[in-house]
Amino acid sequence: MVAPPMTRSQVLLALLPPLFFGMGFTIAKPAVQHFPPLFMMLMVYGGIAIVLGLTRRERLRTPWTSIIAISAFAVTIQGALLFWGLRSDSMPATAANLILQIQIPFAVLLDWLIMKERLDLRKVAGTALAVLGVAIVIGLPEQAPGLLPTVMIIASAFCWSLGQVLARRYGKDSGPGLLKANAFGSVPQLALATLLIEQGQWQSVVQATWLEWSMLAFVGVVGFYLAYMCWFTLLKQCRMDEAAPFILLMPVVGIVTAAVVLGEAVSPAQLAGGAVILAGLAIVSGVKLPWRSKAGASAGS
């Protein structure tokens, strides 16, 4: 049985997470140069936990065992592996961004294994086309990445994908409720991780200027709170093979944000890659081209 196409509202909702993720990731680059990465994530998720704890008083329906597992894979382990890989001198940022996109086929495959849903060949083909577009956007790195950081980033992508599928499988709350559960579960884990792994947390707080605090606030509100609010809401409405491919727009948004905010140039290859990604996502979402709709109407009349 072929799954019906996504509705227009679902497609619009699916465009929001990569928009917020992409902008937040770009601003996080200078922010994480000041704040230790896991400590920054602790402050972000701590703030989300406080806000949602005060504004959403209803009791969480997701079991705490599931909350701990979901937050461990989707936040703590994923974040540690990702930032360890990125900190390596042998891992160029462009290569890291491209390697990280393996989280999309990981998510689709894990969803098929755990949720027992049939793979839609149309969506698989659209995802493959979108991945090709990502490769065109990012391009090949001048320096070959090191083996160890490459393995770390691949493991990070796998953990993030597993966390999202577990949230879809075992999460009993709404989209905002899942974000609240993720925040509650990850805060103690991140606190322990930053104490064991990182240094200079207090110094980063007392030495931060208004610019660092502004970047941290933007990353927390846009890159995490709004992004995951939309993402978890989308996961409650759509299959993983429908929702996950839209995350491939994240590098495109990041490049545009870097061009607008940081003054970086956008190449013709990046624009072409963005068009290929959009074509792949149109196939995934089942969006019909206008001239196809008109042709079908003419044939039926």
Side-chain angles (χ1 to χ4, degrees):
M1 181 179 179
V2 179
M6 298 173 67
T7 64
R8 183 173 300 179
S9 61
Q10 288 172 340
V11 172
L12 293 176
L13 177 62
L15 292 172
L16 294 179
L19 174 65
F20 296 142
F21 281 137
M23 292 191 297
F25 184 78
T26 300
I27 303 302
K29 292 180 181 179
V32 82
Q33 292 176 353
H34 179 80
F35 297 104
L38 292 176
F39 180 63
M40 184 182 75
M41 292 179 65
L42 173 62
M43 289 190 289
V44 166
Y45 276 99
I48 293 175
I50 293 173
V51 170
L52 293 181
L54 294 174
T55 58
R56 298 188 65 87
R57 299 293 187 88
E58 63 270 22
R59 183 178 178 180
L60 293 174
R61 295 182 297 160
T62 303
W64 273 102
T65 53
S66 299
I67 291 175
I68 293 173
I70 293 168
S71 58
F73 284 111
V75 180
T76 310
I77 301 175
Q78 178 265 347
L81 289 170
L82 176 61
F83 287 121
W84 285 343
L86 285 174
R87 290 174 66 180
S88 173
D89 294 334
S90 63
M91 176 54 67
T94 53
N97 208 339
L98 179 58
I99 295 169
L100 191 61
Q101 303 312 311
I102 199 173
Q103 64 193 359
I104 307 308
F106 272 157
V108 174
L109 179 61
L110 288 171
D111 191 65
W112 171 64
L113 292 173
I114 295 175
M115 300 295 290
K116 308 298 182 183
E117 292 183 344
R118 291 184 57 185
L119 288 177
D120 189 321
L121 294 180
R122 170 178 60 84
K123 294 171 184 175
V124 172
T127 301
L129 181 60
V131 170
L132 174 61
V134 171
I136 297 174
V137 166
I138 298 176
L140 296 177
E142 296 180 359
Q143 174 187 354
L147 177 60
L148 181 58
T150 298
V151 172
M152 287 182 175
I153 293 180
I154 292 175
S156 168
F158 179 85
C159 290
W160 184 88
S161 302
L162 179 58
Q164 308 315 307
V165 175
L166 291 178
R168 187 164 178 259
R169 174 66 177 84
Y170 298 106
K172 306 300 181 183
D173 297 279
S174 62
L178 282 176
L179 178 57
K180 176 182 175 181
N182 223 25
F184 280 13
S186 64
V187 165
Q189 299 174 19
L190 288 169
L192 180 60
T194 188
L195 287 174
L196 294 177
I197 298 173
E198 298 177 328
Q199 296 178 344
Q201 294 90 332
W202 178 246
Q203 290 86 341
S204 69
V205 170
V206 297
Q207 296 175 4
T209 66
W210 69 268
L211 181 58
E212 278 92 19
W213 287 118
S214 299
M215 290 187 296
L216 177 64
F218 185 89
V219 171
V221 174
V222 176
F224 283 86
Y225 180 82
L226 293 178
Y228 276 109
M229 188 75 74
C230 297
W231 172 249
F232 285 132
T233 301
L234 182 66
L235 286 187
K236 301 299 289 186
Q237 299 181 18
C238 300
R239 290 161 47 114
M240 184 62 74
D241 58 359
E242 293 174 327
F246 281 86
I247 299 298
L248 293 169
L249 277 172
M250 180 180 164
V252 179
V253 175
I255 288 172
V256 173
T257 304
V260 174
V261 178
L262 305 179
E264 298 182 1
V266 179
S267 68
Q270 291 170 339
L271 294 175
V276 174
I277 293 175
L278 291 175
L281 295 179
I283 296 174
V284 170
S285 62
V287 173
K288 295 183 178 180
L289 299 176
W291 55 84
R292 285 186 59 187
S293 299
K294 292 179 181 179
S298 300
S301 58

